[in-house]
Each structure stands twice: as structure tokens, then as C-alpha cells.
Amino acid sequence: MRKTLFAMMLVTGFGTPAVADDADTIKIHSGWKLIQERVDKGVAYGTLWGVTFNDAGSGVLHKAPAYGTYKLVQETGKGEGELTWGTGEDQLTGTFTITATPDGKATGENIVKGAGKFAGISGGPFECAFVGKPEDQQAWCAEVFKSKN
């Protein structure tokens, strides 16, 4: 009975670690609140904050707070910004690039470096979907980070 239960756990994925399929990859989802603070010559500037959830349900970056700033060229949908995940000495910090499309989706790349318990973690790609008006928007994103741990 125990052997059967253990085999079922492995087959259904209960035995997977907090880092996703690849031991060098961390997959998270995050919810964001974006506040467009101003538009100047077709460039939108704002702040964002949210929380992340590790796809494994625990582990690295699970329930980590995140915040940052952004600017987006409205005509092209291309933008950039700065983000921080975590608190105190345990943080991922850096920049991101993003390309938004008229259908409310976006892709981009996080260029980050980890410190404290996040040391050895660097950035990776992300995909987002947006809801709401540009001046008061929310987003959900799927993000991938690389880990040397």
C-alpha cells in the first residue's frame, strides 16, 4: 500500500520540488495593481505592486511582495521599468522590458539579481494579461526565473 501511494505521488507530481520542472528554473504567477500617474508626450509613467505565488505552492518567491515603476510608449507598446521582489536583505532587484499588444497582453524579460536568500537567482521571460483602464489597471503574469542553487 505504501509503495503504491508513493508511486502515485510521483506520477501525479506531489513529489516535485518547489523549483519547477527544471532544477534551475523557478516558475511563479503574480497579481499586479498598476497606477498610471501621468502621460507625457505619449509616454505613460506609473507605479505597480503585487504579490507572487510559486507554482509549486511553496518555496522560493511564494507569497513574496513586489513593487516598482514603469514607463510605456503608448504608440509602440514598448516599455521598461524597475522591480523589487521580497523584503529587507532578501530581495530580487533589477529592471524589465515589456512589449504590450492592443489585445491586453504583454511579453517581456526581467533582468534581476538576487540578494540574501534570493542570491543566485536571475531573471527570465514573462507573459501578462491586463484588465481595466490604463489609468487604473490590474494584471496577472506568469514569470520564470533562473536559479544557480
Side-chain angles (χ1 to χ4, degrees):
M1 177 70 173
R2 287 184 186 173
K3 288 181 183 178
T4 304
L5 180 60
F6 180 69
M8 287 175 46
M9 287 172 60
L10 289 176
V11 170
T12 60
F14 291 121
T16 58
V19 289
D21 303 334
D22 178 359
D24 295 334
T25 303
I26 301 164
K27 294 181 180 179
I28 64 169
H29 278 80
S30 53
W32 296 94
K33 177 65 176 166
L34 292 81
I35 301 294
Q36 180 177 293
E37 296 171 352
R38 65 184 168 94
V39 177
D40 185 18
K41 299 179 183 174
V43 179
Y45 297 86
T47 57
L48 60 153
W49 69 91
V51 64
T52 64
F53 300 93
N54 188 309
D55 284 5
S58 64
V60 179
L61 295 172
H62 189 59
K63 298 182 181 179
Y67 58 92
T69 61
Y70 70 90
K71 74 176 185 178
L72 182 71
V73 178
Q74 293 175 318
E75 186 176 328
T76 64
K78 295 196 180 289
E80 59 188 19
E82 295 182 4
L83 286 173
T84 299
W85 287 263
T87 58
E89 294 180 8
D90 302 322
Q91 293 186 347
L92 283 179
T93 57
T95 62
F96 69 93
T97 59
I98 190 168
T99 301
T101 58
D103 64 354
K105 296 181 180 174
T107 58
E109 183 83 15
N110 289 312
I111 304 110
V112 298
K113 183 177 179 181
K117 70 180 182 182
F118 298 144
I121 299 174
S122 60
F126 66 85
E127 295 180 352
C128 298
F130 299 93
V131 294
K133 299 175 183 176
E135 59 275 2
D136 185 29
Q137 207 162 49
Q138 296 176 52
W140 68 265
C141 300
E143 301 164 83
V144 176
F145 293 93
K146 298 171 193 85
S147 175
K148 294 181 186 176
N149 299 330

